[in-house]
């Protein structure tokens, strides 16, 4: 790992001015050697230090967001929640309001990584962490996402890769929380280096490779995510997140599903079905949502919806096994939401 | 009847089942027979680990914790290519880098198959690198960072060459050759009769065959045939391979995480032309080895060489990535088995065709499992090693027998099904071992075998199953194992040997055995091990440590006690023969006259009594001798039962319960044995369900060289485990103890596979049984439709 400077900013504006790059931009190179002049933001540091230890990222300065007070709160807002970016996954998983009203998010946070990591990992960092594709994480494979010419996954070991939307790059988005947050229609508050603020829906903020092959999101250098907002949902909404790993102790999902159903009088008024570990961004299963909306859900509909969720899937050479798993998870998640 | 021997009566058989006595003639200095555990104070009890407190409080000193004044840090430069020739190498810039104290260019590869016409050391230029991670050079610098920076300054020009990493591709006649010349044949690292070599295929080795398998198969009334595949598993020691080498004019001292201090001393003495007396090897606490820390590797020679050149101690510890690619692994195998039987189950013929790859090393065989476990006069085993451009394999916990049992114990179940027999009933017919008979009975009762239903009985998507499998492992002994016991004048006692504690707790059983003999408590015995300045002890591999070192420890204690008693006898006015050590006292049989142990020691005319004893031969003789090692006449049997649930929609296998019934001779410390069996079962489940080295076909690199993407069992995958250990006496040594570490892993994967079959009705003939494999076996995986 390279030597670096440690910076303790005195506020958001200070941190935003100091950041010269996002981790994504600091990693893009023609040569395969990461930039050595970047100043980047650090939250829990789990992903950042991982990348640095592997020699994939060599920033000269880390700006410690954890030293900025007030970013670690979960507050009610307009019937929904406003979550600070440095709230940890452990905090989210245990928070009463989150558990009561946005259970899929609490489940997702609680099912991520390991207890130790969850106590350090922040929600902001979780959403902005880099993908786990093993070629991407290997210094010896200068792949397209890092500024190289090829994607090694298509003709290689792609058992953990995407089954949807893998044009040019087949990563799956690494954030488990993002799957749940997209299902809830979360919105990010972002502050730029000049102090300008913007709001972006998470779903639009996260990018597919066809739009941007090298960045998983639309964060610009100097921008800081200052809050994650979940809009109000009818009190009749029930949500569930299911994660399937090869092992249970701190393993990544091979498939995950978040569903949020607004159920009243036996009718599903609105359905949100989002697949994680399926595509380079959380994958909204629009056909499944359409199949469920406005209908009374019975076992047959549930099966139809599960099949519809996989509409358009294009498995690679080694990951077609994910299809039956997703199909089962969607069914189970809908059933569990109804019974919740 | 040889001169000086005496006759003694020893307990033999299984306690509670078949205990009786036999007469043996033993040497004059041999301690008297040890009665069954029920009559003992300390041996057979779960004494706490002597270093347990130090370990859980972080006080234990592992090799990676060793720091010496002026110590330098070394790193290795490794080949980035799976196959390449070094066209030029310039280490000048690295040598001139500030902070660098020595650079060593590796001129001769070790730790792999050796070519017969080995040209010997060669200049780096022109050397061929045979796998990604093949060491090229080593640098010692004042900090690890400077060492790493210096590595990047070594200018190497490579000529990449065609390579092959796939086992099947490597067998083809036109495959790129790993070795240009034939290599020496070997078996478990020992020279063996020379085998043929064609291309990358070394073998077949037919030496385990007997009778006429073809005729036996022809005579069969029922034939079963199947092919099994096992993957590469890496050792994943929690503590990395590490050493601190300290070369001085007066001699070489090496602190190293090793399974064999005395072996490392011998190898280093030979490699550096030093007398054994000038090499000292030490290890204190150790974080696992599983076979991979048995011998001197290139990293060891490099650190010693750097220390010699730099005139300073040098520390070299592999990082996790290096651990995964270049510290050994369990080789992959492909096994095609044909089994012939009569309708009553009797085996008429067995034929096994096996090949596998240990990368650039030999050792991908399937062990002695199939040839030893069941009776069959006509048995053919052909096994070949296939070389590939991948890191060298190394022995790993029950090498050969683990993949061997995965295949063989499944095909035995397949035969049982074809014959309409219960798997236990078939084994009852073909397995002559009385030990396993009792183990099957005890295990079946504990798991509730009578609940077992036909395959795929559960109607829902979650399907439950019960399965079992058996193990066989030779009981090994290191015959040149020695141990010293010292009684000091203040009544304190020391047991000393170079034997090392790999983590299994040998220090604790040494304390127990010595304490039992001296009538003391284990805490009263100071355990000094892991240092070649002491009497040379056995290695901690081959599950031979307790069997090798506890008999001499007991004999040394016995003889030291005789001296103590003889010296104290006049003060007690008793004949030495009338005195014994009990409850911290030296006393007459009736207990009327006695001295405390300490009082007796205070009477010594010297400061201490010191007795060194070495391992006597098994009283009934060994089955087989191999240099400094020997095989006991009987092997070690075990039986394991697994209860699983398979989610047929997600392909996840959940292990609910494992029952293990194991034999290790006389159990010395039940809790430590249980801990070994737990470890064996967990490593076995991990092998069965999760672990797999994944190499990239395009670059020859390992894609999961860490403990994140290399999936390995952890806490939440740990099932309920019940361990039942037989008390099996054989009257063969002063302690009658044998090993447990390796026997405990062998039956796990096949027991799980047989249980999975019982759950889903589909045979899993390849490892690991992960969701992709289970769903494919169930026919649930659609064709890929994305870009190629
Ligand atoms: C073994 C293992 C298993 C794991 N399993 C899972 C899993 O199942 N699911 C899952 O989701 N994750 C998993 N993780 C990943 C882990 O959850 C993330 O690495 C962690 O959440 C990152 O959060 P952090 O606070 O440490 O981020 P950091 O490492 O500090 O930062 C990550 C990135 O976010 C940027 N950043 C952080 N905060 C902000 C902000 N407020 N504004 C702008 N940029 C910001 C940083 O610049 C950096 O680019 C696993 C990790 C490991 C090691
Ligand atoms: S999937 Fe994406 S990250 Fe992985 S190798 Fe291909 S381009 Fe790189």
């Amino acid at each position: 790992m390279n030597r670096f400077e440690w910076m303790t900013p005195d506020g958001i504006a200070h941190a935003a001015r100091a950041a010269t790059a996002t981790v994504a931009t600091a990693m893009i190179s023609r040569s395969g050697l990461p930039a050595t002049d970047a100043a980047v933001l650090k939250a829990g540091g789990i992903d950042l230090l991982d990348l640095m230890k592997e020699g994939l990222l060599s920033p000269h300065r880390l700006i410690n967001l954890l030293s900025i007070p007030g970013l670690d709160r979960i507050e009610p807002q307009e019937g929904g929640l406003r979550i600070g970016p440095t709230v940890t996954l452990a905090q989210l998983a245990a928070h009463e309001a989150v558990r009561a009203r946005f259970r899929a998010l609490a489940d997702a946070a609680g099912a991520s990584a390991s207890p130790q990591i969850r106590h350090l990992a922040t929600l902001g960092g979780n959403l902005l962490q880099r993908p786990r594709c093993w070629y991407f994480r290997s210094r010896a494979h200068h792949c397209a996402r890092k500024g190289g010419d090829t994607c090694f996954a298509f003709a290689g070991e792609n058992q953990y890769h995407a089954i949807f939307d893998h044009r040019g790059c087949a990563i799956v988005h690494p954030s488990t929380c993002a799957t749940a947050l997209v299902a809830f229609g979360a919105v990010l508050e972002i502050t730029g280096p000049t102090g300008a603020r913007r709001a972006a829906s998470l779903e639009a903020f996260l990018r597919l490779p066809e739009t941007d092959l090298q960045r998983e999101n639309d964060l610009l250098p100097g921008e800081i995510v200052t809050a994650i907002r979940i809009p109000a949902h009818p009190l009749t909404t029930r949500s569930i997140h299911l994660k399937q790993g090869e092992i249970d102790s701190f393993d990544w999902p091979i498939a995950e599903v978040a569903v949020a159903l607004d159920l009243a009088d036996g009718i599903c008024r609105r359905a949100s079905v989002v697949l994680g570990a399926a595509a380079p961004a959380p994958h909204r299963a629009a056909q499944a949502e359409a199949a469920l909306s406005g209908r009374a859900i019975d076992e047959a509909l549930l099966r139809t919806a599960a099949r519809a969720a996989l509409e358009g899937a294009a498995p690679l050479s080694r990951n077609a096994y994910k299809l039956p798993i997703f199909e089962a998870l969607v069914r189970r998640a809908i059933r569990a939401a109804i019974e919740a | 009847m040889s001169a000086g021997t005496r006759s003694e009566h020893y307990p033999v058989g299984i306690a509670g089942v078949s205990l009786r006595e036999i007469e043996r003639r033993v040497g004059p200095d041999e301690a008297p027979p040890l009665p069954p555990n029920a009559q003992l104070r300390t041996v057979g009890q779960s004494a706490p680990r002597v270093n347990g407190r130090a370990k859980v409080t972080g006080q234990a000193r592992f090799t990676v914790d060793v720091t010496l004044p002026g110590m330098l840090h070394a790193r290795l430069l490794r080949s980035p290519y799976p196959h390449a020739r070094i066209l030029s190498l310039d280490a000048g810039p690295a040598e001139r880098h500030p902070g660098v104290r020595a650079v060593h260019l590796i001129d001769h590869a070790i730790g792999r198959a050796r070519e017969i016409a080995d040209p010997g050391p060669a200049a780096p230029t022109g050397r061929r690198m045979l796998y990604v991670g093949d060491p090229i050079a080593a640098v010692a610098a004042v900090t690890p960072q400077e060492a790493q920076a210096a590595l990047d300054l070594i200018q190497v020009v490579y000529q990449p060459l065609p390579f092959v990493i796939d086992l099947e591709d490597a067998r083809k006649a036109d495959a790129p050759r790993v070795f240009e010349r034939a290599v020496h044949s070997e078996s478990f690292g020992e020279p063996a009769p020379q085998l043929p070599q064609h291309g990358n295929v070394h073998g077949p080795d037919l030496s385990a065959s007997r009778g006429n398998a073809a005729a036996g198969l022809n005579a069969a009334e029922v034939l079963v045939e199947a092919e099994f595949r096992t993957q590469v598993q890496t050792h994943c020691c929690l503590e990395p391979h590490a050493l601190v080498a300290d070369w001085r004019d007066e001699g070489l001292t090496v602190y190293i995480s090793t399974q064999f201090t005395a072996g490392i001393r011998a190898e280093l003495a030979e490699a550096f032309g030093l007398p054994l007396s000038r090499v000292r090897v030490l290890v204190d606490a150790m974080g696992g080895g599983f076979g991979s820390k048995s011998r001197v590797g290139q990293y060891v020679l490099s650190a010693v060489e750097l220390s010699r050149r730099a005139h300073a101690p040098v520390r070299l510890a592999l990082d996790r990535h290096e651990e995964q690619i270049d510290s050994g692994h369990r080789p992959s195998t492909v096994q095609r088995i044909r089994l012939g039987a009569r309708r009553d189950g009797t085996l008429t013929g067995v034929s096994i065709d096996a090949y596998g790859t240990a990368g650039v090393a030999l050792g991908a065989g399937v062990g002695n499992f199939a040839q030893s476990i069941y009776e069959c006069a006509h048995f053919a085993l052909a096994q070949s090693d296939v070389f590939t451009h991948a890191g060298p394999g190394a022995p790993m916990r029950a090498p050969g027998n683990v993949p061997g049992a995965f295949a063989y114990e499944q095909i035995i179940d397949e035969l049982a099904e074809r014959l309409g027999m219960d798997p236990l009933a078939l084994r009852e017919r073909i397995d002559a071992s009385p030990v396993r008979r009792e183990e099957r009975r005890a295990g079946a009762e504990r798991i509730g075998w009578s609940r077992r239903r036909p395959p795929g009985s559960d109607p829902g998507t979650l399907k439950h199953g019960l399965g079992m499998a058996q193990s066989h492992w030779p009981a090994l002994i290191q015959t040149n194992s020695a141990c010293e016991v010292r009684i000091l004048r203040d009544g304190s006692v020391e047991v000393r040997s170079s034997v090392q504690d790999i983590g299994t707790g040998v220090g604790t059983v040494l304390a127990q055995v010595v304490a039992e003999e001296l009538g003391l408590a284990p805490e009263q015995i100071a355990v000094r091990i892991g240092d070649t300045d002491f009497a040379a002890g056995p290695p901690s591999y081959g599950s031979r440590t307790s069997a090798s070192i506890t008999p001499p420890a007991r004999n040394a204690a016995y003889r030291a006690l005789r001296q103590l008693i003889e010296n104290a006898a006049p003060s007690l006015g008793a004949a030495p023969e009338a005195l014994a050590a009990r409850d911290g006292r030296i006393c007459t049989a009736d207990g009327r006259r006695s001295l405390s142990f300490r009082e007796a020691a205070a009477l010594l005319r010297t400061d201490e009594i010191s007795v060194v004893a070495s391992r006597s031969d098994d009283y009934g003789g060994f089955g087989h001798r191999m240099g400094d090692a020997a095989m006991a006449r009987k092997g070690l049997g075990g039986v394991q039962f697994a209860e699983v649930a398979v989610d047929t929609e997600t392909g996840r296998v959940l292990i609910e319960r494992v029952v293990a019934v194991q034999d290790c001779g006389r159990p010395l410390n039940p809790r430590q044995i249980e801990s070994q069996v737990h470890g064996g079962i967990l490593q076995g489940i991990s092998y069965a369900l999760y672990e797999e080295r994944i190499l990239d076909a395009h670059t020859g690199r390992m894609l999961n060289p860490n403990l994140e993407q290399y999936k390995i069992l952890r806490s939440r995958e740990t099932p309920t485990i019940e361990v039942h250990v037989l008390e099996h006496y054989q009257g063969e040594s002063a302690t009658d103890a044998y090993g447990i570490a390796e026997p405990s892993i062998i039956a796990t994967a096949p027991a799980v596979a047989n249980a999975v079959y019982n759950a889903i009705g589909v045979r899993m003939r390849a490892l690991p049984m992960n969701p992709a494999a289970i769903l494919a076996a169930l026919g649930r995986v659609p064709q890929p439709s994305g870009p190629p």
Side-chain angles (χ1 to χ4, degrees), chain B residues 374-427:
Chain B
Y374 301 124
E375 301 200 311
C376 180
H378 303 293
F379 178 89
L381 172 59
Q383 39 186 349
S384 301
D385 277 287
V386 183
F387 297 118
T388 53
H389 290 100
M396 179 169 182
R397 203 170 193 168
N401 284 27
V402 165
F406 169 71
Y408 205 59
E409 282 295 279
Q410 280 210 79
I411 203 157
I412 291 290
D413 260 38
E414 299 197 50
L415 174 65
E417 185 172 41
R418 281 280 296 284
L419 294 169
M421 283 175 93
D422 182 277
L424 292 180
L426 174 60
R427 287 174 175 88

Side-chain angles (χ1 to χ4, degrees), chain B residues 567-687:
Chain B
N567 189 63
S571 317
L572 282 164
E577 304 77 62
L579 293 170
R582 205 177 328 125
D583 299 331
R585 304 192 72 78
I586 305 297
C587 47
T588 53
D590 58 10
R592 291 240 187 94
R593 274 171 290 165
S594 72
L595 283 173
S596 73
F597 192 88
R598 180 194 277 265
E599 288 162 347
L603 298 174
L604 289 178
R605 280 175 298 147
T606 52
D607 270 5
E608 66 187 31
I609 299 169
S610 157
V611 177
V612 178
S614 59
R615 179 64 158 86
S616 321
D617 286 359
D618 275 11
Y619 302 147
F622 289 128
H624 178 53
R625 264 183 204 278
M626 312 161 281
D628 287 334
M631 215 182 258
R633 282 177 309 151
K634 291 184 192 153
L636 299 165
V639 178
Q640 293 185 2
F641 293 80
E643 190 166 357
V644 308
V646 182
D647 185 330
T648 52
E649 290 185 332
T650 63
R652 265 296 289 277
V653 175
L654 306 161
I655 315 280
E656 298 185 325
R657 197 166 151 235
V658 176
V659 170
V661 193
Q662 304 284 152
D663 167 30
C664 59
R666 177 197 298 272
L668 298 174
N669 183 320
R671 193 187 295 137
Q672 288 191 171
I673 291 166
E674 220 170 86
S675 149
Q676 282 305 298
V677 178
H678 283 181
I681 289 170
L682 297 181
Q683 209 165 22
I685 293 175
S686 199
Y687 176 65

Side-chain angles (χ1 to χ4, degrees), chain B residues 21-51:
Chain B
E21 281 201 341
I22 59 161
E23 190 184 337
R24 297 263 197 226
R25 295 212 64 88
V26 300
D29 281 343
E30 214 53 34
L34 203 55
N37 281 353
Q39 297 166 45
L40 300 176
R41 296 282 168 105
T42 305
V43 165
Q45 301 294 314
S46 293
R49 282 176 188 259
V50 292
N51 58 357

